[in-house]
Amino acid sequence: MRTVVQFLRTHPDLTPLLLITGVGCTAALTYPLYLLRTHPEIQIDKKNNPYPWQHVQQHQNIKLINATPAFYESRKDFERPKY
């Protein structure tokens, strides 16, 4: 760690490059973990919850970016079909 600080003190122009690269690497590692925890389409444990997509409600939005939020709000009164 000390050598990195000394290197950045001698080459201050590289500090933004290293910071942006570090943030990008951190985001590249944490985004898949976010997807694993929050999205029901991704299965890790097939024994305890074999069909996780069946627990999503009609009005529940599971997308990261939603272009039409009114669509999900209009589906709030629908009941889930029984198969």
Side-chain angles (χ1 to χ4, degrees):
M1 187 71 177
R2 186 175 249 177
T3 59
V4 174
V5 173
Q6 285 177 336
F7 179 77
L8 289 177
R9 284 186 181 159
T10 58
H11 304 290
D13 297 340
L14 294 177
T15 304
L17 177 67
L18 292 176
L19 286 175
I20 291 171
T21 304
V23 169
C25 290
T26 303
L29 290 173
T30 56
Y31 183 69
L33 295 174
Y34 164 77
L35 291 177
L36 285 174
R37 292 194 60 176
T38 59
H39 289 288
E41 300 96 8
I42 303 172
Q43 281 191 46
I44 297 174
D45 186 12
K46 291 184 179 182
K47 187 179 284 185
N48 292 330
N49 193 5
Y51 305 108
W53 51 86
Q54 290 182 350
H55 298 291
V56 178
Q57 300 298 320
Q58 289 283 337
H59 67 280
Q60 186 178 1
N61 181 16
I62 58 168
K63 297 181 179 181
L64 181 65
I65 298 173
N66 186 11
T68 56
F71 173 76
Y72 292 100
E73 290 298 321
S74 67
R75 296 180 64 91
K76 257 190 179 172
D77 298 330
F78 288 156
E79 289 188 21
R80 174 176 219 125
K82 306 286 185 204
Y83 294 109

